[in-house]
Amino acid sequence: MLNSVLFYFFAALAVGSALVMITRRNILHAALFLVMSLLATAGTFLQLQAEFLFIVQIFLFAGGITALFVLAIMLVKPRVPEPATPFTKRRLMVTGAALVFTAQVLFAIVAGHSSLRLAARQLDIAPRNAEAVGDALFHSFIVSFEVASVLLLVAMIGAVLMARRGRNAFD
Amino acid sequence: MAENPPTTERAPRQPENAPDADSITTDAPLPEGPDRRDPQDVSELFRSRLHLLQSVPGALQHLFNEDVTGANVDPLVFYVAPLISVTIALMACTVLPLGPALQIANLNIGLFFILGIGSLGVYGAVLGGRATMRSLAQFVSWATVVALALISALLLSGSLSMKEIVQAQLDQGQWFICYVPVGFLIYFVGSMAESHPAGFDLPETDSGIVASYVAENRTNVTGFRGELHVLAEYANLIIVAGLAATVFLGGWLRPLASYRDRFPGTSVELLDVLPAIAMGAIAVYCFRLAAKQPARNRRLAATSAGCFCVIGALALAGALFAPGRVMQGVHGAFWFIAKVGAYIYCFRWIRSRTSGFRFEQSMRLVWRILIPLAFVNLATAAVAILASQDTGLPMRFTTILSTLVTLGAAAWFTKHQSTERAAPILDGE
């Protein structure tokens, strides 16, 4: 019972804040509602007993990527101009695309409705979740892990090079 | 006109209640005697009558203060910012274990949870208008240092759960500070820089911020909003101290936790009477101090502190005869709080004695000395663990070797710093 209440709370928060985010005019408000949506998603991860994913979602998405968004917004201070004319040119095509997309989503829900029930039983890997992720990462997915680390190294070196503006980049 | 007769050499008359060497309160109490006046507000009322808990109405009175804000602040964001700081700080307290069963949430990823939630702290500063690029760069750098230092203790315990980290210290019979002392020192320095830097580095050198948000002399953070910011800062202090106590100092464990000799005939362990004796000694000290106080209010304060310690001593002694879990809980909480208190004491002590670093000095310290040292510490700790497992040498021996290697690396890093002056860091970077 508490499980469903919490799930519907987090789900409503995630969907609601995402909807609010795309209707905001102030871009900083939009970024903050994105953070709220990501945190609500992290809450659903925690409900699925995926603790590691929960904290990584907070650490990387909410605390890293969107923090970068907020910093960039505060640095650049974009001014959203008032829309001069309403967007009337392609109304027919846009409505058609929206209807097609809605039909796809409804089809997906109808076809897969049997799997939409909340899980009633506990999952097995719950107590050792972080260890299980570590095992998978270092046994099954070691190649991707190493490739990702090389990619991060390249990105860091590129960032350091780009930051040394005005100075000789090769000393 | 006759001149005044020369006065004898005497110090000007101090008001009766001036703080002196035996003073235990730092806020001057209301003067008595000829300078007597009535209490002006709730905080002074508490100070004049109850003398304890004066910080509670002192903080709450800010609810009635005028809230001075800039003219074009964004209300949604600006007023939510201190709430974010406070919420994050209090959320991180949920995984600190005061006792084997005294933990709000025993998450599998406890340590990682605190680090991750702490990374959200940047929002409180950014949205509240208290962030510049430099302070954020410092936050990220020092957070990296702290995380690396904690990982070296994580290697020893094998689990991220805070309860299991303390349990591992019990199983291995040694606090992790003895195995990775350099890691603890790196963590100590990092925690001083992270939990707001008044006195560690100089935010005043940022051209973008006037130093008025420093907790003790803030001028532009008014009203309850400012109090929440102060609360968040102190809660952060407790969190870093609690984290150090759990990971490095053995959490709820008594010192020499594996020495289990008992009093003959009872089930009370010999060393478990230490908390009660310690509290009793503090109570005796408080009562003796109370007898020496000249002023009535400070006498009252000292006596009440003494009574509090007596009650604590009785509780600790009584818990010795209580069922196992109660005893573990009460004594565990005592040791945990004692360690947190000791850590905060050393923290404040050292921070009051060092002057701040400039931004470039602080960055140089992090990226050229502390992070390489943290990596070396990690590597040597891992080698020590493996060596102890493979060759059967005791961990105490291998970790002494690894600590010596790390200290050698520290000496090398600090000696081989280039002496060039860094290029001036322009505003806006």
Side-chain angles (χ1 to χ4, degrees):
Chain A
M1 166 65 189
L2 180 64
N3 217 13
S4 352
V5 166
L6 276 179
F7 170 71
Y8 283 118
F9 170 70
F10 282 131
L13 196 62
V15 172
S17 50
L19 282 174
V20 169
M21 173 187 98
I22 56 178
T23 54
R24 288 305 96 196
R25 184 156 292 177
N26 183 338
I27 195 169
L28 183 63
H29 290 181
L32 294 178
F33 280 111
L34 177 63
V35 174
M36 194 191 294
S37 178
L38 292 170
L39 290 177
T41 319
T44 49
F45 287 155
L46 189 59
Q47 271 210 298
L48 290 170
Q49 318 256 344
E51 293 175 341
F52 189 74
L53 204 55
F54 153 73
I55 197 60
V56 165
Q57 169 93 351
I58 290 180
F59 217 156
L60 295 182
F61 267 115
I65 293 177
T66 41
L68 202 58
F69 285 176
V70 168
L71 290 181
I73 290 169
M74 293 205 147
L75 266 181
V76 172
K77 294 191 197 41
R79 295 264 173 269
V80 180
E82 297 293 324
T85 54
F87 193 59
T88 51
K89 290 270 165 70
R90 307 222 175 99
R91 205 182 283 171
L92 197 58
M93 198 158 72
V94 167
T95 315
L99 282 176
V100 166
F101 183 66
T102 313
Q104 281 180 329
V105 170
L106 283 175
F107 175 71
I109 293 178
V110 165
H113 76 277
S114 58
S115 65
L116 284 178
R117 271 169 301 140
L118 296 172
R121 55 182 173 80
Q122 300 291 326
L123 299 172
D124 291 337
I125 60 170
R128 320 266 320 159
N129 183 254
E131 289 85 343
V133 170
D135 278 341
L137 211 51
F138 281 97
H139 288 145
S140 321
F141 301 103
I142 182 69
V143 175
S144 337
F145 181 73
E146 295 296 336
V147 168
S149 66
V150 169
L151 196 60
L152 281 173
L153 183 65
V154 168
M156 268 204 293
I157 295 176
V160 168
L161 277 179
M162 281 170 50
R164 294 168 74 111
R165 49 193 155 116
R167 285 201 266 171
N168 186 358
F170 292 100
D171 61 14
Chain B
M1 176 89 82
E3 295 203 4
N4 289 333
T7 56
T8 54
E9 292 290 326
R10 200 198 308 174
R13 178 180 156 268
Q14 300 275 348
E16 194 185 75
N17 295 336
D20 53 13
D22 280 335
S23 169
I24 55 174
T25 56
T26 52
D27 279 325
L30 294 183
E32 296 181 10
D35 297 328
R36 185 186 190 87
R37 60 186 173 90
D38 288 329
Q40 297 289 314
D41 57 20
V42 177
S43 168
E44 289 200 352
L45 187 67
F46 266 68
R47 238 190 291 154
S48 67
R49 293 277 170 253
L50 287 184
H51 318 290
L52 305 172
L53 306 177
Q54 77 180 50
S55 50
V56 171
L60 289 180
Q61 75 183 6
H62 289 276
L63 275 171
F64 304 105
N65 279 3
E66 180 187 1
D67 199 1
V68 177
T69 59
N72 45 357
V73 298
D74 187 352
L76 169 71
V77 163
F78 194 63
Y79 289 110
V80 158
L83 300 180
I84 295 178
S85 298
V86 170
T87 309
I88 286 167
L90 294 178
M91 260 188 358
C93 287
T94 57
V95 291
L96 292 178
L98 269 83
L102 270 185
Q103 192 181 15
I104 299 178
N106 184 20
L107 288 182
N108 186 27
I109 43 153
L111 192 61
F112 203 9
F113 179 78
I114 294 186
L115 292 174
I117 296 291
S119 77
L120 289 178
V122 71
Y123 283 110
V126 165
L127 301 175
R130 290 189 298 277
T132 54
M133 280 300 127
R134 290 186 192 187
S135 67
L136 293 165
Q138 279 182 334
F139 178 81
V140 167
S141 313
W142 287 105
T144 313
V145 171
V146 162
L148 283 174
L150 286 172
I151 288 176
S152 63
L154 178 65
L155 281 179
L156 290 163
S157 71
S159 166
L160 283 166
S161 159
M162 303 285 261
K163 185 169 161 190
E164 283 186 36
I165 291 177
V166 181
Q167 198 64 39
Q169 291 180 74
L170 180 61
D171 294 337
Q172 297 183 24
Q174 191 76 273
W175 292 357
F176 288 160
I177 185 179
C178 303
Y179 285 157
V180 279
V182 183
F184 175 72
L185 289 173
I186 297 174
Y187 177 82
F188 190 72
V189 174
S191 70
M192 280 205 288
E194 275 288 285
S195 62
H196 256 277
F200 186 77
D201 53 356
L202 296 172
E204 296 88 69
T205 54
D206 286 342
S207 63
I209 289 190
V210 181
S212 53
Y213 70 84
V214 167
E216 280 80 31
N217 55 350
R218 63 190 186 283
T219 55
N220 71 345
V221 200
T222 53
F224 200 58
R225 206 167 36 87
E227 269 320 297
L228 285 180
H229 177 236
V230 173
L231 172 65
E233 179 179 325
Y234 290 147
N236 270 324
L237 183 56
I238 292 181
I239 287 164
V240 293
L243 201 54
T246 309
V247 171
F248 289 107
L249 297 175
W252 68 77
L253 298 175
R254 181 188 75 208
L256 299 171
S258 35
Y259 181 77
R260 287 192 190 276
D261 284 356
R262 297 167 182 228
F263 284 109
T266 64
S267 67
V268 173
E269 295 179 21
L270 272 180
L271 291 175
D272 273 337
V273 299
L274 278 180
I277 293 177
M279 291 290 265
I282 296 175
V284 165
Y285 172 72
C286 286
F287 286 134
R288 287 172 64 101
L289 198 62
K292 280 195 276 187
Q293 297 293 318
R296 191 186 73 91
N297 54 348
R298 277 187 277 166
R299 224 178 2 250
L300 193 56
T303 318
S304 36
C307 292
F308 173 72
C309 290
V310 165
I311 294 174
L314 288 175
L316 287 165
L320 286 174
F321 303 102
R325 285 174 80 89
V326 171
M327 187 233 137
Q328 275 185 327
V330 173
H331 279 245
F334 172 81
W335 286 116
F336 185 82
I337 293 174
K339 288 169 196 174
V340 165
Y343 187 89
I344 294 181
Y345 187 89
C346 293
F347 188 104
R348 286 256 180 221
W349 188 13
I350 292 180
R351 232 166 61 160
S352 70
R353 289 286 170 262
T354 58
S355 56
F357 287 117
R358 288 196 308 271
F359 172 69
E360 57 162 42
Q361 288 174 331
S362 141
M363 287 291 105
R364 187 182 286 224
L365 185 63
V366 170
W367 291 103
R368 292 208 184 170
I369 300 180
L370 283 180
I371 287 191
L373 188 62
F375 276 121
V376 169
N377 179 43
L378 210 56
T380 53
V383 166
I385 297 172
L386 282 178
S388 150
Q389 279 174 358
D390 285 345
T391 63
L393 289 169
M395 276 284 284
R396 296 189 179 101
F397 184 61
T398 48
T399 47
I400 286 178
L401 288 178
S402 72
T403 310
L404 288 173
V405 170
T406 319
L407 289 173
W412 191 84
F413 285 132
T414 45
K415 194 157 95 68
H416 283 256
Q417 291 299 311
S418 62
T419 49
E420 56 165 89
R421 278 194 66 83
I425 298 176
L426 305 169
D427 287 343
E429 287 186 318

